[in-house]
Amino acid sequence: MVIKPMVRSSICINAHPAGCAKETDDQIAYVKSQKAKRGIKSAKEGGKGAKTVLVLGCSTGYGLASRISAAFEYGADTIGVSFEKEPTETKGGTPGWYNNMAFDRAAKKDGLESVTLNADAYADETRAAVINEVKKLGRKFDLIIYSLASPVRTDPETKVMYRSVLKPIGQSYSGKCIDIITDTIKESTAEPATEQEIADTVKVMGGEDWRRWIKQLTEAGVLATGCRTVAYSYIGPEQTHAIYRDGTIGMAKKDLEQTALDLNKEMKASVNGGAYVSVNKGLVTRSSAVIPVISLYISILFKVMKEKGTHEGCIEQMERLFAERLFTGSDNAAGSVLTDSNHLIRVDDREMEPDVQKVCTQRMSDITQENLAEYCDLAGYKHDFLATNGFDIAGVDYDKDVARMDVID
C-alpha cells in the first residue's frame, strides 16, 4: 500500500514506518556529528558522561531526542518506556513504535544496550519492570529523563483515571490559529476550566508521578551516586500565557517545577544527586500542534529565528541541553548545572532573546491573511508537523509500496 498523511482536526492520525525510521536515523547522525565536533568521549572511550539512562516517554519529541543524545553522543546504555499502539502486518502503529524500532536497531549496531518497554509509565508494574531490567544489566541509573505527555493517568493506588484538559482559567480565551491544511487564519475559543478540571490536569501532568518514580527507584537502590533527573516544561511569551502558562497545563507545569525543588533536596541527601526542570523552546510536537494560538506563535517564531540563524528542533535542543548544561565537567562529566533564580534550566534562551520576542510580538499583533506567508514559516511548520509522523522526510520515497506495516525497512 502507498501511505499518505491523514490529518483530522489538526492531528495526523497515521504514520509512515520508513519515514519515522529515517527521521530517527537523521537525528542519530546529527548527534554523532556533534560528538565529533565537540570532541565528546563516549563511555567506551573513557568519557565520564551518562552511562546508564532511563527515559520515560522515550518515543517522540524531546524524550526521543534525549535518548538519542545519551546513547549516540555519550555512549550510554538506555532503558526507554513509552506506551505505543503496536502495528500488525496490515495496520499501522503509532509513530513512537517505529521510532523505538529504529532506535533499538541503531543501538544494537553500535554495541549499545537498549531495553524498550511498551508499557504504561504511570503504573507501578512498569516501575517494577524497569527496576528488574536495570538490575539484570547490573547497573544503576545516573540520569533519568521524565518526558511524559499523556492526556490520561490512572492513579496506581486508587485506580481512578484522571484526564487533563488544555483550557484557560477564570475566563474564556479566544485567539488566532493557523489551519495548516488550508494555510488560513481561524479564530479559536476555549471555555474556562472548572476547579475539578484544573485539579485533574495537575494530577495527570504535574509532579506526582515523577516523584513516585524517584521514590521507588531510590528505595530499590538503583540510583547511582550523583544521579540527576530532568523533567521538561515550557513557559513561552506573554501572548501565549492565557492558554498555556496561566491555564490548566501551566498549573501542572508549576507543580512539576515545585516537585523539582523538593526532589532536588531529597536526591542530594540520598545519592548526592539533583533534580531539575528544563524549560525548552517552543516546537511543533504532536501535542503543541493542537494548542490554540501556539501554532500561530510558533510559525512566526520559526521565521524569526531562521532569519537570525538560531532556530533549533528537538534534537538540537536536547544535544545542547546535554553538552552545555548537564555534562560540562572534565571529560564530559556531570558538571555544575546553570539554572535561573527559580532553579530552572533555560534552553529556551534563544527563543526568549528580547530582539526575537520584539519581532514576534509585533507580527502577532499585525498578522492578517494577506501577510500570513510573509510573517510565518508555513512550510517549516508544516514540515515539522508531518515529520513527527514520518512524512515529508528527505530521502523517503512516499510513492513506494509499503508491503508490511510492522517493519521499518
Side-chain angles (χ1 to χ4, degrees), residues 124 127-128 131 211-221:
D124 283 346
R127 281 179 262 271
I131 290 167
R211 185 190 302 274
R212 194 174 184 91
W213 266 103
I214 300 303
K215 179 177 184 294
Q216 293 189 23
L217 293 172
T218 302
E219 291 173 348

Side-chain angles (χ1 to χ4, degrees), residues 170-347:
Q171 59 186 3
S172 300
Y173 175 78
S174 296
K176 296 175 180 177
C177 301
I178 295 178
D179 184 328
I180 65 166
I181 303 304
T182 61
D183 290 346
T184 57
I185 295 176
K186 61 181 181 180
E187 196 78 13
S188 178
T189 300
E191 296 303 316
T194 65
E195 290 299 319
Q196 187 62 55
E197 287 175 324
I198 297 170
D200 288 357
T201 302
V202 172
K203 189 80 172 178
V204 176
M205 301 190 69
E208 183 176 277
D209 181 70
W210 186 23
R211 185 190 302 274
R212 194 174 184 91
W213 266 103
I214 300 303
K215 179 177 184 294
Q216 293 189 23
L217 293 172
T218 302
E219 291 173 348
V222 295
L223 300 187
T225 300
C227 177
R228 292 170 170 174
T229 183
V230 183
Y232 296 142
S233 186
Y234 180 66
I235 293 177
E238 187 175 345
Q239 303 101 297
T240 67
H241 283 189
I243 191 64
Y244 196 89
R245 186 65 180 176
D246 296 332
T248 53
I249 300 298
M251 294 301 102
K253 293 299 186 181
K254 289 170 186 175
D255 184 77
L256 191 76
E257 292 159 16
Q258 180 58 52
T259 299
L261 295 175
D262 297 339
L263 289 178
N264 192 58
K265 295 176 183 177
E266 294 170 13
M267 292 184 70
K268 186 173 183 179
S270 62
V271 294
N272 195 30
Y276 303 89
V277 166
S278 175
V279 180
N280 303 332
K281 170 179 174 284
L283 295 171
V284 181
T285 64
R286 298 192 75 201
S287 55
S288 68
V290 299
I291 303 175
V293 169
I294 296 294
S295 59
L296 176 60
Y297 166 72
I298 288 178
S299 63
I300 290 174
L301 176 70
F302 280 17
K303 183 93 169 183
V304 175
M305 294 190 73
K306 286 178 181 179
E307 289 169 352
K308 286 179 59 65
T310 58
H311 176 70
E312 295 173 311
C314 280
I315 194 62
E316 291 86 2
Q317 281 267 286
M318 294 302 95
E319 192 279 333
R320 188 159 65 92
L321 170 67
F322 276 58
E324 299 181 10
R325 300 293 191 273
L326 298 178
F327 299 103
T328 58
S330 176
D331 289 330
N332 317 119
S336 59
V337 179
L338 177 66
T339 62
D340 67 9
S341 59
N342 295 314
H343 189 66
L344 299 172
I345 300 172
R346 303 302 294 264
V347 286

